[in-house]
Amino acid sequence: MEEQAAEVIIVGSGPSGLATAACLKVHSIPYVILEREDCFASLWKKYSYDRLHLHLAKQFCDLPHMPFPPSYPSFISKNLFVKYLDDYVSHFNIIPLYRRSVELANYDEASRKWIVKVMNYGSTSGKVEEYYSGKFLVVASGEASNPFTPDIDGLSTFTGKVIHSTQFKNGKSYSDQNVLVVGSGNSGMEIALDLANHGANTSIVVRSPLHVFTKEMVYLALVLLKYIAVGIVDSLMVMLSKLVYGDLSKYGIMRPREGPFFMKVAYGKYPVFDVGTVEKIKSGEIEVLPGIESIRGNEVLFVNGQSHSFDSIIFCTGFKRSTDMWLKGDDYLLGEDGIPKPSFPDHWKGKNGLYCVGLSRRGLYGINADARNIADDIKFSLL
């Protein structure tokens, strides 16, 4: 078994992997970066909707060692962020190995190295098995690795169009259709807004209580969190939300008992950054519906006994991570859900040279810190 040696093996070339590669480059530490897609940042380049913007202001979203250009607006569009990533990769001369799907990663006690088995789907001779060995392994496959669609009774009988949010670009082709958006996170809320703006008869499933804020309110909260305890900031944000949005329960949106930033840290549940969806809900242009009971043909039955007919269903139900399927020999760093078991701020470092980046549920801001910590720790280990 021939192995290709590298000091550090990075799995994934999304923003997490790119940030780690750049930090290693700054320290002149050699690495190899393995990517299963045919491009870097594939979630942004291939699987995100057109109107997407970064939800946080740009000072919370840049990657290490290269701030956004001053000409960029405070809230950056998908296209501008992709351009920034293109420039980032060019600046640090990051060259991922594409179409490499990691099948197995195991720590070899004898050689004290990680052995990574990879299937190369980009070879001219067809599918080829490859092996890589390295003293350090960085899991940078991200929180959003595999699209998740829930198993709903009767979904296979639905006669209309069914897609995951990763397949949605814009609402142009949905005009005059009855469309159900399943999931009320930020993607679901924005996609529902885009559909309504393009003339679709739009409904959205809201199963759980959620916090709703404007982007400006979230910016204020992030500034305050530098100086004030989470509990106080949460109370202030809830009060502001009540002042701005009023009582949303009459529209089918309940507010959680726990504070927004406590929930983000404890459960990884983000508040909704409203960009106009709530106004459409209040006006009746977007209908809020409870959880789905079952589906029969194009009829969807909801838990409150209502039923509606739809032409299309768009699942904005998030992602699952597959790390547990290929990462072996780790009983410390990552759980079965692919999320770190150690609490922040110790979440990024495992044992035997294992690290993870971008899994702290702190978005791009967390990626920046993780990548710097990992590169500094590897540099120290090599002294």
Side-chain angles (χ1 to χ4, degrees):
M1 180 180 71
E2 186 178 347
E3 298 170 2
Q4 301 181 54
E7 198 74 68
V8 184
I9 301 170
I10 303 170
V11 179
S13 69
S16 296
L18 300 180
T20 306
C23 290
L24 292 171
K25 192 71 172 274
V26 167
H27 291 312
S28 301
I29 299 171
Y31 66 88
V32 63
I33 183 165
L34 305 170
E35 170 56 53
R36 67 182 180 180
E37 295 280 350
D38 59 1
C39 65
F40 61 85
S42 62
L43 189 64
W44 287 90
K45 290 190 168 188
K46 297 167 64 174
Y47 303 118
S48 56
Y49 47 92
D50 294 342
R51 63 163 292 126
L52 178 62
H53 283 64
L54 296 183
H55 291 124
L56 300 181
K58 64 181 180 181
Q59 60 262 50
F60 300 107
C61 298
D62 57 3
L63 298 185
H65 307 297
M66 186 173 150
F68 289 111
S71 60
Y72 275 32
S74 292
F75 294 97
I76 296 170
S77 69
K78 162 189 163 179
N79 290 341
L80 269 183
F81 186 61
V82 168
K83 183 182 184 308
Y84 167 76
L85 293 177
D86 286 340
D87 293 341
Y88 194 83
V89 166
S90 176
H91 179 76
F92 291 103
N93 193 30
I94 301 170
I95 306 174
L97 299 179
Y98 296 118
R99 303 291 306 278
R100 262 63 170 203
S101 177
V102 174
E103 306 287 312
L104 180 67
N106 215 336
Y107 184 72
D108 180 58
E109 294 285 354
S111 63
R112 301 180 70 180
K113 288 185 177 181
W114 287 92
I115 310 299
V116 180
K117 176 185 174 183
V118 172
M119 201 60 71
N120 178 359
Y121 289 95
S123 171
T124 54
S125 55
K127 188 170 65 174
V128 174
E129 203 171 86
E130 298 176 346
Y131 290 86
Y132 296 83
S133 65
K135 186 176 180 181
F136 307 98
L137 176 66
V138 181
V139 177
S141 43
E143 293 183 47
S145 50
N146 295 324
F148 170 71
T149 300
D151 184 17
I152 296 174
D153 179 31
L155 177 59
S156 61
T157 71
F158 185 71
T159 52
K161 182 179 181 181
V162 178
I163 64 169
H164 188 269
S165 60
T166 51
Q167 298 168 278
F168 179 86
K169 293 302 176 186
N170 57 64
K172 290 178 183 176
S173 62
Y174 295 88
S175 179
D176 295 324
Q177 286 192 29
N178 297 322
V179 185
L180 178 64
V181 176
V182 182
S184 55
N186 283 295
S187 293
M189 286 292 197
E190 284 199 38
I191 286 173
L193 175 63
D194 196 64
L195 288 163
N197 285 341
H198 283 93
N201 303 313
T202 308
S203 302
I204 184 168
V205 170
V206 179
R207 289 193 315 156
S208 306
L210 50 88
H211 289 285
V212 181
F213 303 115
T214 65
K215 289 184 177 181
E216 291 74 19
M217 289 161 65
V218 174
Y219 174 80
L220 173 63
L222 292 175
V223 172
L224 290 176
L225 283 168
K226 294 180 180 180
Y227 311 102
I228 303 174
V230 169
I232 298 173
V233 174
D234 275 349
S235 297
L236 288 170
M237 289 302 108
V238 170
M239 187 181 358
L240 270 177
S241 182
K242 288 178 179 178
L243 286 170
V244 172
Y245 294 106
D247 180 14
L248 295 178
S249 63
K250 65 181 79 172
Y251 304 101
I253 298 175
M254 309 301 291
R255 184 177 287 110
R257 293 182 178 180
E258 295 171 306
F261 292 95
F262 170 82
M263 291 179 67
K264 182 175 175 292
V265 172
Y267 317 122
K269 187 174 177 61
Y270 285 82
V272 168
F273 306 138
D274 177 50
V275 291
T277 311
V278 171
E279 184 181 341
K280 296 281 188 183
I281 290 172
K282 287 182 174 181
S283 70
E285 293 176 76
I286 297 174
E287 181 182 12
V288 173
L289 293 167
I292 298 173
E293 181 73 34
S294 62
I295 298 172
R296 293 294 180 267
N298 66 345
E299 287 290 322
V300 179
L301 176 66
F302 296 90
V303 294
N304 63 354
Q306 286 182 275
S307 66
H308 294 273
S309 175
F310 294 99
D311 301 302
S312 299
I313 301 177
I314 301 173
F315 282 96
C316 302
T317 42
F319 298 82
K320 295 289 186 181
R321 289 151 293 278
S322 58
T323 321
D324 64 309
M325 297 175 62
W326 56 264
L327 180 62
K328 307 301 177 184
D330 167 48
D331 58 359
Y332 173 78
L333 184 59
L334 298 177
E336 290 184 5
D337 60 357
I339 295 296
K341 290 190 279 187
S343 301
F344 174 86
D346 304 314
H347 60 280
W348 53 273
K349 183 177 180 180
K351 298 177 180 178
N352 299 321
L354 178 66
Y355 301 93
C356 68
V357 57
L359 294 174
S360 64
R361 294 167 166 166
R362 295 168 66 231
L364 291 163
Y365 184 75
I367 287 172
N368 191 316
D370 289 349
R372 291 175 185 271
N373 285 334
I374 290 167
D376 290 345
D377 196 68
I378 289 175
K379 180 185 178 184
F380 179 78
S381 299
L382 293 172
L383 292 178

